[in-house]
Amino acid sequence: AGAVEMILDPRGRLVRFEGIPPTTREPGRPQVPGEEPWPRLFVAAGLDPAAFAPAEPRWLPPRFADRRLAWSGVHPDHPDIPLRIEAAALAGTALWFQVVSPWDAPPTAPEVGLDRPRLAAALLAAAVALLVLVTAVGAARRNLRGGRGDRAGAHRLASAAAIAMASAQLLEQRLPLTLSGVFALLLRMALVGLLSGALLWLAYLALEPYVRRHWPRGLISWTRLLDRRFGDPLVGRDLLAGVLVGLAMASTFLLSGWAKIWTNSPYRPNFYLVPNALDGLRFTAGLVVGRVVISLVVVFTLLLLLVVARRALRRESVAAAVLWAIWSLVPILVALRSWPSITALLITNALLIWAIVRLGLVAGVTASFVDGAIQLSPVTSDAAAPYAASSWFVLGGIALLAFYAARSAQARREAAT
């Protein structure tokens, strides 16, 4: 009771306002007439109340109300697009105000089924996930029975992933600090952490012997990193290479968004910002920590698929090309329709697969992490922006990682000379 939720557009204009009324009302308490709240909400939405005419309400409010209102007009930036305002009040207090566009559906409208491209993408993604799981389980079982595999490294990786994902859940928690809320949070931390650790443990035991036998150069720096040799020059070299590849991937996608604006593309720019990153530094830190584990999962999944493709096609270059095509097909079927988006996706996937195959596991995970962290978080040079701290946290962390990697790699060069 008393909480307010507001949804704003990228320019800070109100799109939806919803308030929760008191749970009880004193009997016989007279309603105090006050100023109509609607003009202020119109101004917050960037709309002129005089430009909108009263209309018949069509949508039901999300909560009980004793007064419903609606207005009709046009979009201030696009006069060819009609707008409708739906609103509701209880005891003279505004409870709901929403700007409705022609393509919006009521909150209680039934979900529309997947169209053919998205259905094909869902089936393809399910087939890939099933293939990865079956391959990982079978390979890990054979390696355990045969006494192969780096079990100590797998346990370290799984433990670190479990702690990281549990910490991310704690940083991003929104539950009230009640007994049930704390219990639910602890349960979610345990489930997400254990599941993430188990998946990476399984994938590492399945992959490590095969990669060590057929592609040993890709695991040298990775093995040293698992042995806690953080200052090793080879680890620094691969970390630095991964940072550079990740910056190239993120820049490609951000530039594709501007290309869609410059070419007047009908599809929205590729800004994959997660709204939680705008809620403060704590939530951004949770996203960044979680992105480390997600990057590990992505790279290990690509490696598993690469192993399957290489066994089927016999040639590493052909297997990598087939994997690149399949990995790019799913997001194209799901959402991407314009040439800047598709071009950026093809380039970034090619860079990531190239980093994994040619530079190694450390470089591939680092590239995926840097790319994801930049795309998921706000990026700004405006110190007055409310999310400036989150932006500097992400960019500063990447800069520190690059500096540390460069110093470690430089130590190898100095030792060689």
Side-chain angles (χ1 to χ4, degrees), residues 172-307:
E172 297 181 54
Q173 67 86 20
R174 295 178 182 272
L175 295 174
L177 293 180
T178 60
L179 182 60
S180 60
V182 171
F183 178 78
L185 173 62
L186 293 176
L187 180 62
R188 192 172 72 232
M189 290 172 60
L191 290 176
V192 174
L194 291 174
L195 179 61
S196 303
L199 288 176
L200 285 174
W201 178 86
L202 181 68
Y204 188 70
L205 284 180
L207 278 171
E208 191 268 343
Y210 181 88
V211 175
R212 188 176 298 279
R213 183 169 66 250
H214 295 282
W215 182 48
R217 69 181 185 276
L219 279 182
I220 297 175
S221 60
W222 175 262
T223 303
R224 296 179 182 180
L225 188 62
L226 286 183
D227 289 339
R228 303 184 183 93
R229 296 161 62 180
F230 302 114
D232 187 273
L234 192 58
V235 173
R237 184 201 68 178
D238 289 350
L239 283 174
L240 182 60
V243 170
L244 295 177
V245 174
L247 290 175
M249 294 168 62
S251 300
T252 300
F253 249 119
L254 293 176
L255 287 174
S256 73
W258 290 112
K260 293 169 78 173
I261 295 175
W262 295 332
T263 58
N264 197 24
S265 172
Y267 294 94
R268 67 180 185 271
N270 285 320
F271 298 146
Y272 292 98
L273 170 70
V274 174
N276 286 2
L278 300 175
D279 290 340
L281 193 57
R282 174 168 64 90
F283 293 91
T284 304
L287 289 172
V288 171
V289 172
R291 182 65 204 185
V292 176
V293 181
I294 293 173
S295 299
L296 286 167
V297 172
V298 168
V299 171
F300 275 64
T301 301
L302 285 171
L303 270 177
L304 277 170
L305 293 174
L306 185 61
V307 168

Side-chain angles (χ1 to χ4, degrees), residues 71-132:
W71 298 267
S72 61
V74 297
H75 197 286
D77 298 335
H78 302 277
D80 57 318
I81 299 179
L83 288 183
R84 195 175 75 258
I85 309 297
E86 295 278 352
L90 177 64
T93 302
L95 289 185
W96 177 51
F97 180 92
Q98 183 164 350
V99 180
V100 181
S101 302
W103 50 82
D104 290 332
T108 56
E111 293 187 7
V112 180
L114 295 175
D115 55 17
R116 289 185 178 180
R118 288 178 173 83
L119 179 60
L123 295 176
L124 180 60
V128 170
L130 183 61
L131 176 63
V132 169

Side-chain angles (χ1 to χ4, degrees), residues 241 244-246 248-250 252-253 298-299 302 306 316-317 319-329 331-332 341-360 363-364 367-368 371 375:
L244 295 177
V245 174
M249 294 168 62
T252 300
F253 249 119
V298 168
V299 171
L302 285 171
L306 185 61
E316 183 179 280
S317 58
V322 171
L323 176 59
W324 168 73
I326 295 176
W327 198 253
S328 303
L329 183 59
I332 290 175
S341 303
I342 296 175
T343 302
L345 177 74
L346 297 176
I347 293 175
T348 54
N349 283 349
L351 287 172
L352 179 58
I353 294 175
W354 175 83
I356 296 171
V357 173
R358 295 302 178 192
L359 301 178
S368 176
D371 172 51
Q375 290 195 46

